[in-house]
Amino acid sequence: MSNRPKKYLVTGGAGYVGSVVAQHLLEAGHTVTVLDDLSTGFREGVPAGAAFVEGRIQDAGRLLDASYDGVLHFAAYSQVGESVLDPEKYWVNNVGGTIALLAAMRDAGVRTLVFSSTAATYGEPVSSPITETDPTAPTSPYGASKLAVDHMISGEATAHGLAAVSLRYFNVAGAYGSCGERHAPESHLIPLVLQVALGQRESISVYGDDYPTPDGTCVRDYIHVADLAEAHLLALDAAAAGEHLICNLGNGNGFSVREVIETVRKVTGHPVPETAAPRRGGDPAVLVASAATAAERLGWQPSRADLADIIADAWQFARRQEPTTA
Ligand SMILES: NC(=O)c1ccc[n+]([C@@H]2O[C@H](COP(=O)([O-])OP(=O)(O)OC[C@H]3O[C@@H](n4cnc5c(N)ncnc54)[C@H](O)[C@@H]3O)[C@@H](O)[C@H]2O)c1
């Protein structure tokens, strides 16, 4: 990675992943401005040392100028279930907001972008592990909005020479320093199970136990948020003018819902009651990444792949939080 300190705009840097990446950028000696409307993020989540602007990406034109070396774009709505009930909200914010951001970047002459894409762009996988050349057929407006942005970025690279990397995260988990996962409402498995361990929820619902997997529950690829953050710094270096590189980010290992629950019991030493629930529509049996492209093009390797370690970090963070939900 180049040693020259740079100046970056981090959209959504008051949220979970954006705050951890902002912290990594600061630790690498860069200057960071966080732009966040606090719609799902938290002011106190913005790392010390980053400048904070409370505002929307739709208004990024007021902030961006040629002094910025690049943008890391996390700001989005990301609740799959909500997107099914209120798709317009997702098109307006995720797609509309990114159109405005790309225009602001073009006007300011800021030509490097790293974008948070998602495994949800693939939909039901045709094979496992999932590679970037697999078909994209999102099963929710959330996934569709992220795929639309990926297409927009490709166009921007071709037409206007943007240097862009989309990172398709699988299931991000764990915590880093004072930054951790805090969605409201929470929809991600590990923080939900930890809320049960903390006595903030009565039980964890297991949606379907008759999938074609070893224990019948869904299998997902959990990636430590600090490993993910390192990939963003590598992506900034790998970005090349006129190219839109797309990389999956995962460990290549799947863990079932039951394995996650059992590991939370072991790590926390608390009981975690389970409740059997029917399958949810649009939940694939197995979602596991091939991260071969990230290894080859970014030189990225995850180094915190042990599920118990990931959960232990998330547990340390969860214990420090106020209860968010009953
Ligand atoms: N957490 C995961 O497992 C995961 C997996 C795949 C992809 N992603 C993507 O990663 C990104 C970050 O996810 P997260 O889990 O940190 O979510 P998050 O909700 O914690 O963070 C998103 C941040 O964006 C801000 N925001 C939303 N719309 C905005 C707007 N128009 N203008 C300014 N700020 C706005 C929110 O206030 C929040 O701070 C999202 O784009 C998400 O789609 C996350």
Side-chain angles (χ1 to χ4, degrees), residues 1 17 104 118 128 139 141 145 166 180 184 204 233 243 247 255 276 287 296 315 323 326:
M1 146 157 223
V17 182
T118 167
S128 188
T139 54
S145 73
S166 285
I204 186 75
L233 274 72
E243 184 188 35
C247 297
F255 294 99
L287 277 181
E296 187 188 323
W315 175 235

Side-chain angles (χ1 to χ4, degrees), residues 10 36-37 90 127 130 157:
V10 176
D36 197 301
D37 66 1
Y90 281 70
S127 60
I130 297 173

Side-chain angles (χ1 to χ4, degrees), residues 8-240:
Y8 292 114
L9 179 68
V10 176
T11 77
Y16 170 41
V17 182
S19 63
V20 175
V21 175
Q23 179 66 41
H24 277 75
L25 289 167
L26 291 165
E27 286 169 13
H30 301 300
T31 300
V32 172
T33 302
V34 165
L35 173 65
D36 197 301
D37 66 1
L38 302 182
S39 51
T40 62
F42 301 88
R43 173 67 185 89
E44 64 275 20
V46 178
F52 176 62
V53 176
E54 184 173 345
R56 307 174 72 218
I57 50 173
Q58 286 80 349
D59 301 319
R62 291 188 202 150
L63 180 62
L64 269 180
D65 60 35
S67 69
Y68 284 90
D69 291 289
V71 174
L72 296 101
H73 178 31
F74 302 91
Y77 297 148
S78 58
Q79 300 275 347
V80 172
E82 181 189 60
S83 80
V84 174
L85 298 173
D86 190 358
E88 188 190 356
K89 177 175 176 180
Y90 281 70
W91 293 113
V92 168
N93 196 48
N94 295 1
V95 177
T98 307
I99 290 173
L101 179 67
L102 289 174
M105 289 179 66
R106 214 182 303 129
D107 291 347
V110 180
R111 306 313 295 142
T112 301
L113 175 70
V114 177
F115 170 61
S116 302
S117 188
T118 167
T121 54
Y122 295 110
E124 187 73 41
V126 293
S127 60
S128 188
I130 297 173
T131 68
E132 295 82 359
T133 52
D134 283 356
T136 43
T139 54
S140 69
Y142 164 64
S145 73
K146 288 284 178 170
L147 182 60
V149 171
D150 275 341
H151 286 308
M152 280 161 42
I153 292 172
S154 294
E156 193 74 13
T158 305
H160 303 296
L162 184 71
V165 181
S166 285
L167 299 174
R168 289 190 172 155
Y169 316 158
F170 280 60
N171 287 59
V172 190
Y176 183 76
S178 59
C179 305
E181 192 163 12
R182 224 171 4 146
H183 300 109
E186 189 52 74
S187 61
H188 294 157
L189 181 65
I190 290 176
L192 285 173
V193 184
L194 292 175
Q195 287 178 2
V196 180
L198 282 167
Q200 295 168 4
R201 268 176 201 275
E202 275 184 16
S203 68
I204 186 75
S205 300
V206 177
Y207 295 101
D209 58 6
D210 57 351
Y211 285 95
T213 59
D215 66 16
T217 64
C218 286
V219 169
R220 296 289 179 269
D221 184 334
Y222 295 91
I223 171 171
H224 197 293
V225 68
D227 281 337
L228 194 85
E230 286 165 10
H232 287 72
L233 274 72
L234 293 168
L236 286 167
D237 280 352

